[in-house]
Amino acid sequence: MKAATHFLIAFGLSINLFADSFVSAAFTSLSSVIPSLTASNTTTAYIVELSSAASNSSSKRKRSLTPHQDLYNELRRKDVAFSSGTEWHSEQIFVGVELVLNSLADLDAVANADNVVAVRPVLTFQPPALVRTHSLTGSSDPALPPDTQSTHVMTGVDMVHAGGNFGQDIKIGVIDSGVDYLNPTLGGGFGPGFLVAGGYDFVGNAYTGANTPVPDADPLDTCFGHGTHVTGIIAAQPGNIYNITGVAYKSSIYAYRVFGCTGGVQDPITVNALLKAYDDGMDVITLSIGGASGWSESTTSIIASRIVEKGRVVTASIGNDGAQGAWYPSAPGTGKGVISVGSVENTQLPAINAVLSDGHAPVPYFSLRPFPVTTSLPIYATSKDITVANDACNALPSSTPNLAGYVVVIRRGGCAIVDKLKNAAAKGGKYFFIYNDGTALGVISTGTYIGALIRAEDGAYLVNAFKTNANLRVSFPQTLANTVPVDGGGLVSSFSGMGPTYELNLSPAVMAPGGNVISTMPRNMGTFGVSSGTSMAAPFAAGAAALILKAKGKDKATCKSVKGLLQSTAGMIPTSGVDGAPIASAAQQGAGLINVYQAIQAQSVITTTELLLNDTLFGSNYQLVIIRNPTKKTVTYNIDHAAGITLSTVNPSNGLPNMAPIPTVPQTAGVTIVGKQVTVWPKLIGMFIVKTTPPTGLDAKTFPIYSGYITICSSLGETFSIPYMGTSSRMRDMPVLDQSDVFFEAQIPIMLTGSGYPADAGTSFTLVGSDYPAILYRRAAGSPSILADLVSPNTTVPGAVQARSLSKRGTLWNWLKGIFGNRNNQPTPGTFANVRTVGPIQNVPYSPRHEMEDAERSGYDFVRVQNYLNTTSIANGQYKLLLRALKVTGNAAKQEDYESWLSPVFTVNAPTPSASVSANTTLV
Ligand SMILES: *[C@@H]1O[C@H](CO)[C@@H](O)[C@H](O)[C@H]1NC(C)=O
Ligand SMILES: *[C@@H]1O[C@H](CO)[C@@H](O)[C@H](O)[C@H]1NC(C)=O
Ligand SMILES: *[C@@H]1O[C@H](CO)[C@@H](O)[C@H](O)[C@H]1NC(C)=O
Ligand SMILES: *[C@@H]1O[C@H](CO)[C@@H](O)[C@H](O)[C@H]1NC(C)=O
Ligand SMILES: *[C@@H]1O[C@H](CO)[C@@H](O)[C@H](O)[C@H]1NC(C)=O
Ligand SMILES: *[C@@H]1O[C@H](CO)[C@@H](O)[C@H](O)[C@H]1NC(C)=O
Ligand SMILES: *[C@@H]1O[C@H](CO)[C@@H](O)[C@H](O)[C@H]1NC(C)=O
């Protein structure tokens, strides 16, 4: 089982707070799903996109009024009950409106209205996760700061700074929880002339993502801290007690606040923030916001992509779902052209030495501030066995003494650290050392308790002393933290989300420091703190982009080149610190760790910075790479390649995705470079061809992701590398529906009664209250389209086919229109290879896969057979439910491209059929 704790924040979208470990049973009892089965939520809020220059879709008729007024008038004529929310009028980026419908049946009318280009559901995004946070409290902190510039050294930012480039004149929009600009390290004020020169609060303190936002002009953050930490990474001013500076600290910050003090954000708010940041002329926009997706389609991804297309830089964090394995990057980072950023660990950690009375070497504990203890304390170990895997995960035995006067020593692992501290605190414990269990060292989150991580070997020494030397005492000099190099520094953070997308796009695009980063916090939350997360990596990359724009100009062409520059000059990251360790997968590290100095210094231009080899069905074995030599010298380029590890992403025995650490196989792709040396005359271009052969001898059912890097060394002394990545399987074969009994005790999908018990064939339901069939299922992979239809009881699949026009599938048709726009890959009526259906119950576009190990996150879904999708009631009679999941790269018009599951026969026997189902829907 995995070492991660996840907390559910919002239905379907969840936050990964990455505490240290947790216990999860291999089986989840069916009864545990009942609470969520009985709570059925219907969303009827949509973002309706209207035709505009940006949508690249010509309107069906000439506009008379605004397109919004036209839409409202048309809907009123058609008797559609709706209420409209925010309108967007950005002709160049996005024209549309937020609509709440009273009935799903009206979706047809909306989607078919003149000028409507797309209808997309309103999504709620999770609050960005600080994976670990450690706050410092104010002025009592001792003043000697650690050297926190290690993140700058890792990425060449120190050398860019040495040249006097601090991002002057670049405007950076930070879409986050606001900022405490009154923190002196963030300029001490707001408005023209201050570091935080502008911005807006779209939500107010009380906003949770589920209530009405109360906007105002002031984006001050005094209750969340996330945006304040993010802003310090970009722009902390020199001269502070921790001696930190931001990556681009002479840039101008605009803070767009989209989170209240708690909760999430609905994407219309994020749309507002993106459009305002664009209108305010931000050169760089950064979002540390996301929801696990695996796909590139959501309103915010699309708008972010359009802003990139207009010549601005957008960075976004890839998410903190690294424990969940491959195919799980977050939107909107997955948007085209957006720079999605993963996290690497800082190379240095702040540490303070505790002194032992027996003369043994001091014990460093990883913390920015010393424990507030001026006497020496004896130690108490909660276990005398240093191998016990779940030390202090349960209440301590009654024989435990009062721990108030001790330093309590506990082994890491087995449950969340805070749970261990809570158990020890229940016995009076006040000060805690957690000794490491082999996971990465770091500044850990201890909640309100005073505790810190120590090294495993120091823990072993202390536990042994506890057994043998009752006199050992520990003291805590009130001295300065210094920074110490740590194993694992510079490596990919275990929490960093892993791609690729299901379309085999590279995501993350690049990596930046995000693990154990010291930055600013609101004054009332410690003023400074250490946090970890891809939330920290995205603003770092935004600062890096600002340095590049400062160096090269901020015209449209330069802005569009930033992603490629960061990618081609990034450094490959190894899988471990051991010499000769293999290179990590491009699915995990994208193009590698950014090097801003090289991105700015490089003169040659590599125009192809990702070689996306797709799957065995759609991939191409030949890739062309073009090099431009804009200098006045003839330059010679030597080309080579280095393989990365090959990941087995799916467990072939049950079709479920493998969790981290993902198994690897030794086979790598064959790579032949045609033109290993290329000489390019001044001002001309040169090229070479990369021929790849997917690794052979692998089980295609493991969906191996192979990858590596083409390296280019120039006679000017430049080095570049470009990732290649593909899978030696067909994505169309990837199992979508979990048909195993791994997660629940029962084989799924399974038909349950509305109260959560397996329902036998022939069960009769009244569809009143909770007396309805509910099909429990899980997605082992994402699907472009999940369909649930009632079919007649004699239906078999495949078979009983009878031509049926897909255009009759009213709502699906509109979903497809919303998702695909008006492109041609819509199925044409009559070509759907046709299972005759009675009526649709559910259609869901572009679903991510489910969490595999933790039911409390989004671990499963239901199809509730209560009424048709259009809210019409189901006539009495016998039915089966046909659940279909379109396979990745599948053709929506072909039955054989779906995975299908057919329920047992059930009977609908409503007491008074016409009144059995209420048409009332919940407004959100
Ligand atoms: C449904 O919505 C309510 C109110 O927003 C919320 O409290 C509840 O948790 C939601 N239920 C589910 C299953 O998401
Ligand atoms: C916009 O539409 C034109 C004409 O249909 C097409 O040639 C062009 O490729 C489209 N552009 C984009 C970005 O889709
Ligand atoms: C603080 O930062 C300055 C400039 O970055 C550097 O010269 C100095 O050595 C740092 N001091 C410490 C204690 O790290
Ligand atoms: C791979 O092929 C599929 C199917 O044609 C396509 O949808 C996808 O965009 C391709 N991926 C890349 C990275 O080109
Ligand atoms: C299936 O049942 C339907 C309705 O009861 C009937 O019209 C149809 O002919 C049956 N099809 C087969 C293949 O038995
Ligand atoms: C709703 O859908 C069902 C099943 O497709 C169909 O029979 C019914 O006519 C539809 N009702 C309305 C009002 O569109
Ligand atoms: C549906 O709405 C009506 C009017 O608001 C209300 O009287 C009725 O009780 C509601 N029905 C249900 C089942 O909630």
Side-chain angles (χ1 to χ4, degrees):
M1 292 292 106
K2 285 291 74 52
T5 299
H6 316 289
F7 297 100
L8 185 74
I9 296 292
F11 184 65
L13 291 159
S14 49
I15 179 171
N16 181 347
L17 286 176
F18 236 85
D20 271 70
S21 44
F22 91 119
V23 190
S24 137
F27 289 101
T28 299
S29 157
L30 276 178
S31 59
S32 70
V33 308
I34 294 174
S36 50
L37 171 54
T38 47
S40 161
N41 282 0
T42 315
T43 175
T44 54
Y46 300 91
I47 295 178
V48 177
E49 179 167 7
L50 300 168
S51 70
S52 64
S55 71
N56 199 20
S57 140
S58 57
S59 74
K60 290 172 228 161
R61 76 185 161 91
K62 217 165 168 255
R63 291 174 189 168
S64 47
L65 311 157
T66 71
H68 305 80
Q69 273 307 329
D70 279 349
L71 174 67
Y72 305 153
N73 290 345
E74 180 171 351
L75 294 182
R76 283 187 197 110
R77 273 200 310 279
K78 292 179 175 168
D79 274 338
V80 172
F82 67 93
S83 58
S84 61
T86 314
E87 287 185 358
W88 297 285
H89 296 268
S90 174
E91 187 65 27
Q92 293 308 308
I93 303 290
F94 192 77
V95 172
V97 61
E98 187 185 359
L99 278 192
V100 178
L101 301 178
N102 286 5
S103 163
L104 276 171
D106 291 334
L107 209 47
D108 267 337
V110 175
N112 292 321
D114 289 340
N115 292 325
V116 169
V117 175
V119 183
R120 303 185 182 94
V122 165
L123 303 179
T124 301
F125 281 89
Q126 65 197 29
L130 293 180
V131 173
R132 300 184 287 268
T133 307
H134 171 85
S135 283
L136 303 167
T137 38
S139 51
S140 67
D141 270 323
L144 186 72
D147 175 13
T148 56
Q149 304 300 307
S150 52
T151 56
H152 294 189
V153 175
M154 291 163 74
T155 52
V157 167
D158 57 335
M159 289 165 79
V160 179
H161 283 180
N165 177 350
F166 304 97
Q168 296 92 322
D169 307 323
I170 307 299
K171 290 182 180 169
I172 305 180
V174 179
I175 299 179
D176 211 294
S177 68
V179 57
D180 182 8
Y181 47 73
L182 293 176
N183 182 328
T185 299
L186 294 175
F190 178 63
F194 287 103
L195 169 69
V196 182
Y200 193 72
D201 179 355
F202 289 91
V203 292
N205 283 350
Y207 180 66
T208 63
N211 54 5
T212 307
V214 183
D216 66 70
D218 181 358
L220 188 68
D221 167 23
T222 55
C223 57
F224 198 145
H226 189 278
T228 304
H229 199 276
V230 160
T231 303
I233 289 168
I234 302 173
Q237 301 296 295
N240 56 74
I241 57 166
Y242 290 107
N243 210 18
I244 56 169
T245 64
V247 174
Y249 65 80
K250 292 192 179 172
S251 61
S252 207
I253 302 295
Y254 286 65
Y256 301 99
R257 185 182 189 209
V258 299
F259 289 99
C261 293
T262 56
V265 59
Q266 291 208 324
D267 62 1
I269 303 275
T270 313
V271 171
N272 288 340
L274 278 164
L275 293 179
K276 183 157 173 56
Y278 176 77
D279 287 343
D280 288 350
M282 294 303 109
D283 303 302
V284 180
I285 300 171
T286 187
L287 305 98
S288 295
I289 295 177
S293 154
W295 301 101
S296 307
E297 301 282 342
S298 76
T299 307
T300 48
S301 319
I302 287 165
I303 290 175
S305 296
R306 286 183 190 159
I307 290 175
V308 169
E309 197 50 38
K310 289 288 168 198
R312 312 289 179 81
V313 179
V314 180
T315 59
S317 46
I318 196 62
N320 297 337
D321 296 304
Q324 292 294 320
W327 314 104
Y328 216 51
S330 284
T334 46
K336 189 169 174 285
V338 176
I339 304 176
S340 55
V341 192
S343 168
V344 301
E345 291 294 296
N346 200 341
T347 52
Q348 304 217 341
L349 287 181
I352 300 174
N353 282 333
V355 173
L356 304 191
S357 61
D358 65 356
H360 183 266
V363 169
Y365 58 104
F366 299 104
S367 169
L368 265 184
R369 57 187 303 232
F371 288 7
V373 178
T374 49
T375 58
S376 65
L377 301 176
I379 57 175
Y380 183 87
T382 47
S383 172
K384 290 180 176 172
D385 176 1
I386 59 165
T387 63
V388 63
N390 62 345
D391 192 12
C393 286
N394 300 309
L396 299 185
S398 52
S399 57
T400 310
N402 180 350
L403 299 179
Y406 294 89
V407 190
V408 183
V409 178
I410 308 173
R411 188 181 192 268
R412 188 179 194 174
C415 59
I417 284 174
V418 174
D419 292 340
K420 296 169 184 273
L421 302 185
K422 198 188 295 168
N423 290 329
K427 295 291 181 184
K430 288 167 71 181
Y431 309 108
F432 307 96
F433 277 166
I434 306 289
Y435 58 97
N436 204 24
D437 65 347
T439 35
L441 288 172
V443 178
I444 54 172
S445 176
T446 56
T448 54
Y449 302 105
I450 298 167
L453 192 67
I454 62 174
R455 296 178 303 192
E457 57 268 37
D458 292 329
Y461 183 81
L462 292 177
V463 171
N464 189 51
F466 173 65
K467 289 192 285 193
T468 59
N469 174 9
N471 295 326
L472 181 71
R473 297 181 85 86
V474 183
S475 56
F476 300 87
Q478 298 298 296
T479 57
L480 316 162
N482 55 329
T483 56
V484 294
V486 280
D487 290 347
L491 300 179
V492 175
S493 304
S494 59
F495 56 77
S496 190
M498 212 183 289
T501 65
Y502 288 113
E503 297 105 340
L504 268 307
N505 286 314
L506 194 71
S507 199
V510 292
M511 308 296 278
N516 294 301
V517 176
I518 305 177
S519 184
T520 44
M521 288 294 279
R523 291 152 300 147
N524 58 330
M525 297 174 76
T527 311
F528 292 89
V530 179
S531 294
S532 295
T534 55
S535 289
M536 282 61 248
F540 197 100
L547 297 180
I548 293 173
L549 298 187
K550 170 61 187 163
K552 294 178 173 268
K554 52 188 203 181
D555 54 285
K556 182 170 172 180
T558 308
C559 284
K560 283 185 158 184
S561 74
V562 167
K563 181 175 181 180
L565 280 173
L566 286 173
Q567 288 190 305
S568 61
T569 56
M572 299 172 267
I573 302 169
T575 48
S576 81
V578 176
D579 273 352
I583 297 167
S585 169
Q588 198 181 16
Q589 65 159 320
L593 176 61
I594 58 171
N595 187 315
V596 194
Y597 183 71
Q598 297 204 23
I600 290 173
Q601 290 298 308
Q603 294 177 276
S604 308
V605 180
I606 314 296
T607 57
T608 318
T609 58
E610 301 173 346
L611 303 179
L612 304 176
L613 308 178
N614 218 324
D615 66 2
T616 53
L617 204 53
F618 297 105
S620 164
N621 290 340
Y622 293 90
Q623 303 279 329
L624 181 69
V625 179
I626 296 175
I627 307 173
R628 196 153 56 80
N629 172 15
T631 72
K632 292 181 181 151
K633 292 183 189 154
T634 297
V635 182
T636 301
Y637 300 89
N638 285 299
I639 326 291
D640 209 335
H641 68 93
I645 56 170
T646 300
L647 302 173
S648 271
T649 65
V650 171
N651 179 343
S653 71
N654 56 22
L656 303 181
N658 285 322
M659 301 291 99
I662 298 194
T664 62
V665 289
Q667 291 93 330
T668 56
V671 176
T672 310
I673 292 157
V674 184
K676 288 199 82 165
Q677 193 173 70
V678 179
T679 299
V680 186
W681 290 359
K683 312 282 180 199
L684 290 184
I685 60 166
M687 59 194 72
F688 61 92
I689 288 168
V690 180
K691 176 177 184 290
T692 52
T693 335
T696 51
L698 299 182
D699 181 353
K701 290 198 172 101
T702 63
F703 294 84
I705 297 175
Y706 64 90
S707 64
Y709 295 81
I710 306 296
T711 56
I712 304 169
C713 296
S714 82
S715 56
L716 299 174
E718 305 157 317
T719 58
F720 301 95
S721 62
I722 40 181
Y724 59 86
M725 180 188 67
T727 177
S728 50
S729 303
R730 307 182 337 159
M731 290 304 289
R732 186 168 297 173
D733 298 336
M734 185 178 273
V736 179
L737 292 176
D738 177 357
Q739 309 208 26
S740 76
D741 59 359
V742 168
F743 193 67
F744 295 102
E745 290 131 339
Q747 177 115 18
I748 53 173
I750 186 171
M751 181 167 79
L752 306 178
T753 65
S755 42
Y757 298 98
D760 295 330
T763 303
S764 183
F765 299 91
T766 60
L767 306 190
V768 175
S770 64
D771 188 25
Y772 58 84
I775 287 41
L776 170 65
Y777 77 101
R778 312 182 78 207
R779 294 179 300 271
S783 170
S785 180
I786 302 271
L787 309 177
D789 292 273
L790 284 192
V791 296
S792 79
N794 57 11
T795 302
T796 55
V797 173
V801 283
Q802 185 176 319
R804 181 178 71 82
S805 158
L806 188 71
S807 64
K808 293 215 185 92
R809 181 182 284 282
T811 308
L812 169 64
W813 202 217
N814 296 316
W815 279 122
L816 290 173
K817 182 175 175 185
I819 293 305
F820 293 116
N822 285 321
R823 302 206 311 249
N824 341 332
N825 44 352
Q826 283 176 0
T828 28
T831 62
F832 193 62
N834 317 296
V835 174
R836 179 164 132 179
T837 64
V838 179
I841 301 294
Q842 183 175 300
N843 296 318
V844 186
Y846 286 103
S847 314
R849 68 166 158 88
H850 277 118
E851 297 280 330
M852 284 299 124
E853 292 192 335
D854 189 350
E856 288 179 26
R857 291 188 67 176
S858 62
Y860 49 83
D861 256 321
F862 295 104
V863 177
R864 297 178 172 84
V865 184
Q866 292 169 292
N867 43 247
Y868 290 114
L869 188 54
N870 62 13
T871 70
T872 303
S873 35
I874 297 164
N876 284 352
Q878 288 200 315
Y879 303 95
K880 288 179 180 173
L881 185 109
L882 173 60
L883 178 64
R884 281 179 290 186
L886 183 59
K887 294 189 263 186
V888 180
T889 74
N891 179 339
K894 283 190 178 167
Q895 168 60 23
E896 61 269 32
D897 282 0
Y898 291 82
E899 264 175 37
S900 301
W901 176 87
L902 204 51
S903 79
V905 176
F906 57 89
T907 303
V908 170
N909 188 10
T912 48
S914 59
S916 64
V917 176
S918 159
N920 295 1
T921 53
T922 313
L923 297 187
V924 295

